Amino acid sequence: MKQESFTDDGWYVAGTEGKPVLLLLPGLGVSYQIFFPLIELLKEEFRIYAFQVDGFTLGRCTRFDSVDGQAGRVIKFIQENCWGRVDCVYGLSLGGKILSRVLERNEVTIDHAILDAAPLLPLPRWLEGPLRYYQSFNVWTCYHWTGFWRFMFHSHYFDVLLDECRKVFPFGGRRSVLDGYKSVYTNKLEAIYGADIHFWYGTKEAFVAKPQVEHLLKLYPSAHVEVFPKMNHGQMLVDHPGEVASRILSII
């Protein structure tokens, strides 16, 4: 069994003390454990802290409050544990949205920031409610109909997401999914600060991701944008953690 270590405020800890600090922020509906393959590849090179987003925790019931509330938790951790500065933060989806808000607030120093398919723009108001309930239904079916979805997709990528949904759903439930999507899709990034900002997305999510990139480049023209061929939302991390690890190392 994996020996797990946590900070007092619930961050998963791995890696080597004295090495550059890497923070990992997971997406909506998944836990910090989605980063385990990546952590295994980087633990000799970094001191790693993986965030537990409220509402998507393991072993304890929590409620998601807001993107800004979660960003505040990240900022507080950096201020209290890392002297106000970290070498790199990688945020996946909702984690990228939280990271963008941390950068917008500009209260700590992040040398390198990676926004992996982060939603930076609000949805049209008429679409906000229907999409929240549609995504809530998706997560609910992942939890209750795992066998059906495995039969449908036969994919390592979907297997991992299904397992993650099953793990976190009992501790946050449908309410956290609804509140999470509402906060994500009703907030617009107004400004962003940082020395080195990267945005990643896959070609299979380009319809959604391209407007986010255009908005980011208006605010921060020097952002580095990378597009992964034939990849879906979060699929590079799930199916090719070695590639993600090598890119993080090259960025540092």
Side-chain angles (χ1 to χ4, degrees):
M1 181 178 289
K2 189 180 184 68
Q3 182 86 29
E4 295 200 311
S5 175
F6 297 90
T7 65
D8 291 340
D9 46 355
W11 290 67
Y12 174 79
V13 185
T16 308
E17 287 194 50
K19 292 289 187 176
V21 174
L22 171 65
L23 304 188
L24 303 174
L25 313 182
L28 190 148
V30 301
S31 77
Y32 66 92
Q33 292 185 355
I34 199 170
F35 292 120
F36 276 176
L38 180 64
I39 289 171
E40 191 64 27
L41 293 166
L42 293 175
K43 65 183 181 182
E44 302 300 325
E45 306 296 332
F46 292 95
R47 182 63 165 175
I48 303 170
Y49 299 94
F51 188 49
Q52 292 199 73
V53 178
D54 285 335
F56 309 101
T57 46
L58 294 178
R60 57 190 176 93
C61 293
T62 53
R63 282 283 301 274
F64 185 89
D65 53 0
S66 65
V67 167
D68 196 53
Q70 299 305 297
R73 287 185 56 209
V74 174
I75 290 168
K76 182 179 179 182
F77 179 84
I78 295 172
Q79 290 172 335
E80 294 182 352
N81 298 275
C82 306
W83 299 279
R85 175 196 163 273
V86 292
D87 298 277
C88 185
V89 184
Y90 169 48
L92 172 67
S93 189
L94 168 62
K97 178 79 169 189
I98 294 168
L99 174 55
S100 74
R101 181 64 180 127
V102 173
L103 295 168
E104 184 176 16
R105 287 173 58 166
N106 198 27
E107 298 172 27
V108 293
T109 300
I110 297 172
D111 291 347
H112 307 280
I114 303 168
L115 309 169
D116 190 343
L120 307 177
L121 291 168
L123 286 171
R125 194 169 292 255
W126 64 269
L127 186 57
E128 173 202 324
L131 184 63
R132 284 174 65 207
Y133 285 92
Y134 169 73
Q135 295 290 16
S136 176
F137 177 73
N138 276 347
V139 174
W140 187 90
T141 55
C142 286
Y143 179 61
H144 292 279
W145 298 347
T146 300
F148 171 77
W149 290 118
R150 289 192 195 284
F151 174 78
M152 287 291 293
F153 294 110
H154 299 288
S155 163
H156 177 253
Y157 168 60
F158 280 102
D159 283 351
V160 170
L161 297 186
L162 289 168
D163 287 342
E164 285 295 318
C165 286
R166 285 182 62 83
K167 285 189 292 188
V168 301
F169 191 83
F171 301 105
R174 182 169 174 266
R175 185 76 260 161
S176 287
V177 177
L178 289 171
D179 291 345
Y181 274 104
K182 180 178 181 180
S183 187
V184 166
Y185 290 117
T186 55
N187 286 281
K188 179 180 179 181
L189 184 69
E190 300 290 352
I192 192 165
Y193 305 94
D196 182 40
I197 298 174
H198 299 252
F199 193 100
W200 296 353
Y201 70 94
T203 53
K204 290 185 177 180
E205 58 179 336
F207 175 74
V208 175
K210 282 183 176 180
Q212 320 305 317
V213 171
E214 292 170 2
H215 181 65
L216 174 62
L217 291 174
K218 288 177 183 177
L219 299 175
Y220 194 96
S222 61
H224 307 278
V225 179
E226 293 191 66
V227 185
F228 303 135
K230 300 180 181 179
M231 291 290 106
N232 210 324
H233 191 69
Q235 189 171 4
M236 181 63 80
L237 172 69
V238 172
D239 284 352
H240 305 284
E243 178 67 20
V244 174
S246 65
R247 287 174 183 272
I248 290 174
L249 285 168
S250 69
I251 287 171
I252 296 295

